[in-house]
Every structure is written in structure tokens, then in C-alpha cells.
Amino acid sequence: MKDLREALERRKQEGLYRRRLIAQSAQAVHNFIDGKHVLSFCSNDYLGLANHPQIKQAFVEATDKYGVGSGSAHLVNGHSQLHHDCELSLAEFTGRDRALLFSTGYMANLAITSALVGRKDVIFQDKLNHASLIDAAKLSDAKFLRYQHNDLAQLKWLLDQHSTARRRLIMADAVFSMDGDKAAAKNLSLLGRQSNSWLMLDDAHGFGVLGENGAGLCEEAGLTQQDVPILMATLGKAVGVSGAFVAGSEELIETMIQSSRSYIYTTASPPATSAAVMQSIKIIQQESWRREKLFELINYFKKQAALLDCELMPSDTAIQPIVIGDNHKALDMALKLFEQGIHVTAIRPPTVAENTARLRITLSAEHEKQDVDLLIKALSVL
Ligand SMILES: *Cc1c(COP(=O)(O)O)cnc(C)c1O
């Protein structure tokens, strides 16, 4: 294993070594991690629901009734009433005919390509898509093409070039996970409809946060099941629990149940996670103040950061990265912030392109303006 040791050493030299910190408290903006109390600006728990008392209670009560493990796959005897009810509630919330639960977003994305495309088909993806979408395309037998970020003219050209393919599937992050900007969803849906191809949006970072009721980017942009036939979102970020779902037509969901390998060949998630998700969805719908407060904080952060003359990205979501460029410099800045009690992660290649290492700052409805002031102050002395 000498070559592994050398490769690991090279990684360190290039500032690409990844290290896990050990969280010793519940997920919250005030965190105890690696033996240090920190104010955290790197979680995807955008609404502060990961440690919410009512959601925890729903989880505990469901555990009392249903136990811990589901025991088997959904198609054997692991599909509990709670999973089923949760799917109905997600379908209703997103205005789709049906929804299908997955243990993780990564698996949901693999499921989509494994059920829908094969050798005669073409997948088109935005260059900045999440790794799970890229892997989903690579693991399929379909031809895989990428277009420049949000470049719909290029996408249209590529679609035209492949007009004879059996199926054409467009896949994009709804909110780009490392940049924070949004897909041109309306125009993507028009292009999808005009070209008779399928549009899939991954709303991992919009679900719970965007739209009047928190149903995500499709709600915000007024896009129906006809506009975005394949909607995927995760349940471990703003929803604060775990898992993911795909929502769409009866035929779509039934096809996935019949043939998605990452649906069929895996144990169903613990039933209690579905009870927690349902409780979280209720809170998301009822407590719009969480979204309002989050967007106030986002605007406040952007205004204060602009005064610092640090370069923000064109994002108006909770993801507010500051591009540093050099890997070592980004790591060093994150370390200095951590020493001052502020936790922000340095995101480096291959998660982002070479020379665009960044501090990925995320905001949460649990933050207060004073917290943002502390972050700005710490950034100003770096
Ligand atoms: C986090 C994320 C996923 C993966 O979801 P998990 O439930 O964490 O596996 C998929 N897509 C995007 C855009 C994400 O940000």
C-alpha cells in the first residue's frame, strides 16, 4: 500500500487532503465540534429543524411503535404505513401525482437514470451539477453530455444535435450546491417541452426554503408536473431529517418502483424518519417566519460582506460562497476562522473547479444578526 501512502501525501501537499471533524452536540448554529464551541456557518440545516423538539418527538413516538430498523426493502416487507403516508404528503406538498422515498439523495439520483435511460438515450447536464447527478449519468448506459453553466443556447444546440435519440433527459441542480445560484428553471422547462425531452430538477437546496409554502424552486417559479416532469429533493437539508424523494406522474413513479436498482436492492429507511419528515413538512408549511428570517439574514450578510470588499457570487440563496482560489489559502482562512470560533468549510477541487477553492458560507434561520456581525468581523481581519 506504499502507492496509497504516496498519493495521500501528495494530496496533503496540494491542499486537497480532507479531514473529518467530530461533532459532539446536536446539529445547530451553536455547535460543539472537535472539542471546540463554534458558531457554525456551514450546515445545510437552513431552517434550523434538525434538532426541533416536535420533530424529535415525532421520531421518538414512531420508534416506540415501529421500532428502529425497517427490516427489509420496500418491495419485501419494509414499506411501512409511515413511509406510505410520507409519500402521500410529499406528493400533495409538491403538487405532483405521486412521490417515492429514498434513503439518500445520492441514491434517488442513481435511481432516476437507472430506471429511465439506457444505450439509445442521451443525458444533458449543467457543468456545475452535484456529483451525485454526474455519477448517476456515468453509471447509466446513456450518452452523457454537459453544457456550460446555465447556457441554454448551448443546451438547445446539443438537444438539436441529438434529436433522433430515443429519450433525452435534461438534469440540473435547482439551486447549485457550491455556488448558490439557481437554474434558469422556466426556460429549461420551456426547452424541455419544446424539444420533447424530459426535465429533471434536483431541488436539494431549494426544498423547504424557496416558494411561498417552502415547496421549493418549482413552487417559486410556478412550474407544474408538466413543466418539470421529474422532481427530486432531499430530506436531510432544510427538512432536517434524512433521505430524499422523487415526485412526478403515476407512470414515472411506477416505473421507478419496478426498475430502479437503488430503490429495489436496499433496505428501507427506518420508519421513524418518515414520521419526522411529515412533522417537519407541517412546520415548514406553517412557520413561514423561518423562511422570512432566513432571507432577511441573507440580505443582511450580502450587504455587510459587500462593505468588506470580498467577492461574493451571484447568489440570493442561503449558500453564499466567497471564492478564494488557492487551496492552501482557503484552508488557511477556514482554520483561522475556526480558531476564532467560527466554523466555515473550505471547499476545494474536485468538488469545485481548479483554482476556485472557496469558503462556502451558509446561513440558517437559527442565526441572529449578531451572529452575522461576528462572521463579518472575523472575515475582515483575515
Ligand atoms: C446533498 C445533495 C445530494 C445528495 O443528497 P443526500 O441525501 O445527502 O445523499 C444530491 N443533490 C444535491 C444537489 C445535493 O446538494
Side-chain angles (χ1 to χ4, degrees):
M1 306 225 131
K2 182 162 162 284
D3 55 336
L4 294 187
R5 200 175 334 119
E6 284 164 3
L8 287 168
E9 206 39 58
R10 253 193 324 277
R11 232 172 222 281
K12 280 186 188 155
Q13 281 159 12
E14 289 163 7
L16 292 175
Y17 202 76
R18 299 170 189 255
R19 210 168 70 80
R20 303 174 303 171
L21 303 184
I22 299 177
Q24 293 151 315
S25 64
Q27 185 61 248
V29 301
H30 294 282
N31 239 344
F32 186 52
I33 188 160
D34 248 28
K36 195 167 168 68
H37 290 281
V38 292
L39 177 59
S40 157
F41 287 95
C42 52
S43 172
N44 300 315
D45 179 25
Y46 303 121
L47 299 175
L49 295 177
N51 192 32
H52 189 286
Q54 279 167 276
I55 301 174
K56 287 199 283 189
Q57 193 191 342
F59 192 93
V60 169
E61 281 171 12
T63 305
D64 277 343
K65 182 159 178 206
Y66 284 87
V68 178
S70 69
S72 72
H74 284 275
L75 291 171
V76 182
N77 76 349
H79 185 63
S80 74
Q81 185 73 53
L82 291 175
H83 291 118
H84 204 71
D85 293 346
C86 186
E87 290 181 344
L88 295 176
S89 107
L90 289 166
E92 193 188 346
F93 187 32
T94 54
R96 265 61 187 167
D97 293 348
R98 284 184 71 182
L100 187 67
L101 279 175
F102 288 86
S103 303
T104 71
Y106 194 104
M107 289 167 71
N109 283 339
L110 297 191
I112 291 168
T113 54
S114 85
L116 300 184
V117 293
R119 235 172 3 90
K120 298 174 180 155
D121 308 318
V122 187
I123 297 172
F124 305 84
Q125 290 202 16
D126 191 291
K127 264 260 159 79
L128 295 191
N129 274 355
H130 189 262
S132 59
L133 287 168
I134 295 167
D135 292 359
K138 284 187 176 165
L139 288 172
S140 78
D141 294 325
K143 187 177 173 119
F144 177 30
L145 300 168
R146 298 170 83 184
Y147 55 93
Q148 294 299 318
H149 182 46
N150 266 339
D151 185 345
L152 268 51
Q154 190 193 9
L155 171 59
K156 182 174 183 326
W157 186 82
L158 289 172
L159 285 164
D160 289 343
Q161 295 291 305
H162 294 85
S163 57
T164 56
R166 182 186 67 153
R167 292 174 183 164
R168 289 172 297 168
L169 173 62
I170 306 165
M171 307 180 91
D173 281 22
V175 173
F176 289 88
S177 56
M178 296 302 139
D179 291 57
D181 61 337
K182 297 172 196 166
K186 250 193 183 122
N187 287 334
L188 273 176
S189 78
L190 280 176
L191 199 49
R193 292 179 80 148
Q194 282 162 4
S195 63
N196 204 20
S197 34
W198 294 334
L199 171 61
M200 178 274 178
L201 286 183
D202 173 339
D203 206 10
H205 299 276
F207 189 65
V209 173
L210 301 177
E212 198 177 332
N213 300 292
L217 184 66
C218 288
E219 183 186 21
E220 181 182 88
L223 298 173
T224 64
Q225 180 172 298
Q226 281 68 47
D227 300 314
V228 181
I230 309 161
L231 170 63
M232 174 275 188
T234 61
L235 303 169
K237 289 168 180 161
V239 177
V241 187
S242 179
F245 69 93
V246 174
S249 68
E250 178 70 30
E251 307 88 277
L252 170 73
I253 299 305
E254 223 24 74
T255 301
M256 293 187 65
I257 293 173
Q258 302 305 319
S259 54
S260 287
R261 298 173 69 84
S262 61
Y263 184 75
I264 299 169
Y265 300 106
T266 192
T267 302
S269 59
T273 55
S274 284
V277 166
M278 284 188 278
Q279 183 59 46
S280 176
I281 298 291
K282 275 191 202 140
I283 293 171
I284 284 170
Q285 290 168 328
Q286 287 162 4
E287 299 188 4
S288 55
W289 67 263
R290 289 178 188 271
R291 280 183 290 287
E292 285 153 21
K293 185 173 169 207
L294 176 62
F295 282 95
E296 267 171 38
L297 288 164
I298 293 167
N299 289 330
Y300 183 66
F301 170 78
K302 286 178 69 170
K303 226 193 282 159
Q304 299 305 107
L307 300 175
L308 275 186
D309 131 81
C310 63
E311 206 181 315
L312 289 180
M313 304 199 74
S315 158
D316 47 18
T317 67
I319 303 165
Q320 291 291 328
I322 298 178
V323 174
I324 307 300
D326 181 69
N327 298 334
H328 292 286
K329 190 166 173 213
L331 266 184
D332 186 52
M333 288 170 89
L335 189 64
K336 284 198 175 119
L337 287 172
F338 194 76
E339 281 163 1
Q340 294 180 61
I342 298 214
H343 191 197
V344 174
T345 355
I347 305 284
R348 292 155 287 156
T351 310
V352 295
E354 291 290 336
N355 301 315
T356 69
R358 64 200 64 184
L359 298 173
R360 181 178 180 268
I361 292 166
T362 55
L363 295 159
S364 158
E366 289 265 286
H367 284 124
E368 299 299 338
K369 269 192 173 164
Q370 301 89 283
D371 297 330
V372 174
D373 290 336
L374 285 172
L375 169 65
I376 294 287
K377 184 152 168 272
L379 286 170
S380 74
V381 298
L382 279 185

